[in-house]
Amino acid sequence: AQSVAQPEDQVNVAEGNPLTVKCTYSVSGNPYLFWYVQYPNRGLQFLLKYITGDNLVKGSYGFEAEFNKSQTSFHLKKPSALVSDSALYFCAVRDSKAAGNKLTFGGGTRVLVKP
Amino acid sequence: NAGVTQTPKFRILKIGQSMTLQCTQDMNHNYMYWYRQDPGMGLKLIYYSVGAGITDKGEVPNGYNVSRSTTEDFPLRLELAAPSQTSVYFCASSYLRDSYNEQFFGPGTRLTVL
């Protein structure tokens, strides 16, 4: 079975400071990992994904994520947060052994960037 | 491309009523999905489809039905609506050229059952 956890319900950060949103996962095969962002009253937007290769993945809007196999983590990062980054962030995982391209989503982390 | 579109945006139902949530994608994606998002929770998969004529249950299928007669459309049917079905419903699609392609989401339908 595949599962994902986002241990923080909310992250508060001052504008210009680094932003980190945590995600850990559990799979039986190899993980395919995704980050999505949801702005108020909108659908989810894809940010980035890890499939294989470099552990540091770069995505949209200046976001990046670091895959750590030994810690089974895939934390989302941004070096300098903007007020406009305030949103709900979801981590998702798919086990390479799972059929149907089904993703399992974490509970989400609300990010609040203060001016 | 419009991407994934959903109608209606909002709906209020009375207990026991039925309705169909519409979802259409114009990206020629073979996979389509229905999720529900409850307050403070992540997304739960209701049903998914790997192509026209093929559907399968997700994590929380009870109280819902789907059909997939064309590549573009994937309607979700609620029969005998219950308050527990109050949620925001998202449709998504992906192209399974590779098993790790990202999913594209519609804007959602906010449903309230009273």
Side-chain angles (χ1 to χ4, degrees):
Chain A
Q2 57 193 38
S3 65
V4 62
Q6 294 179 243
E8 300 158 317
D9 289 336
Q10 181 159 325
V11 170
N12 297 319
V13 62
E15 188 173 32
N17 282 2
L19 169 64
T20 298
V21 186
K22 295 179 180 177
C23 171
T24 59
Y25 67 90
S26 175
V27 295
S28 55
N30 292 317
Y32 300 142
L33 293 154
F34 302 80
W35 275 103
Y36 287 84
V37 61
Q38 184 181 29
Y39 297 102
N41 301 313
R42 303 287 295 276
L44 277 68
Q45 296 177 30
F46 170 74
L47 279 178
L48 51 79
K49 66 182 176 185
Y50 171 82
I51 305 304
T52 187
D54 283 343
N55 290 341
L56 186 64
V57 178
K58 294 190 183 295
S60 307
Y61 312 122
F63 283 94
E64 57 189 29
E66 187 168 10
F67 172 67
N68 188 317
K69 187 172 184 178
S70 62
Q71 297 186 4
T72 61
S73 66
F74 189 56
H75 301 330
L76 181 70
K77 300 180 181 183
K78 187 171 184 180
S80 179
L82 301 172
V83 172
S84 57
D85 293 329
S86 297
L88 190 56
Y89 291 81
F90 290 98
C91 182
V93 67
R94 180 179 175 233
D95 191 334
S96 63
K97 292 185 176 180
N101 198 25
K102 291 185 285 186
L103 291 178
T104 297
F105 286 84
T109 298
R110 188 166 301 280
V111 170
L112 181 60
V113 182
K114 297 181 180 178
Chain B
N1 284 352
V4 180
T5 57
Q6 293 182 237
T7 57
K9 286 188 169 56
F10 305 95
R11 184 71 185 268
I12 298 175
L13 283 182
K14 294 182 179 178
I15 294 172
Q17 287 185 320
S18 301
M19 77 164 294
T20 299
L21 282 66
Q22 301 292 344
C23 175
T24 299
Q25 54 92 9
D26 63 359
M27 296 173 282
N28 202 31
H29 286 171
N30 46 352
Y31 272 59
M32 295 187 75
Y33 315 81
W34 274 105
Y35 294 91
R36 59 177 288 171
Q37 182 183 30
D38 299 321
M41 306 287 287
L43 279 72
K44 302 287 187 186
L45 182 65
I46 305 171
Y47 271 95
Y48 69 102
S49 168
V50 304
I54 307 170
T55 63
D56 205 351
K57 296 178 180 178
E59 204 177 341
V60 290
N62 291 346
Y64 306 95
N65 278 302
V66 293
S67 59
R68 183 100 181 266
S69 57
T70 67
T71 298
E72 294 79 19
D73 300 306
F74 190 41
L76 177 71
R77 177 84 177 160
L78 277 71
E79 307 281 2
L80 299 175
S84 61
Q85 292 179 305
T86 294
S87 189
V88 181
Y89 292 84
F90 290 101
C91 180
S93 69
S94 67
Y95 181 54
L96 205 72
R97 179 188 62 195
D98 301 301
S99 61
Y100 42 78
N101 283 344
E102 61 269 25
Q103 296 179 15
F104 293 81
F105 285 79
T109 294
R110 187 175 296 273
L111 176 67
T112 302
V113 182
L114 300 173

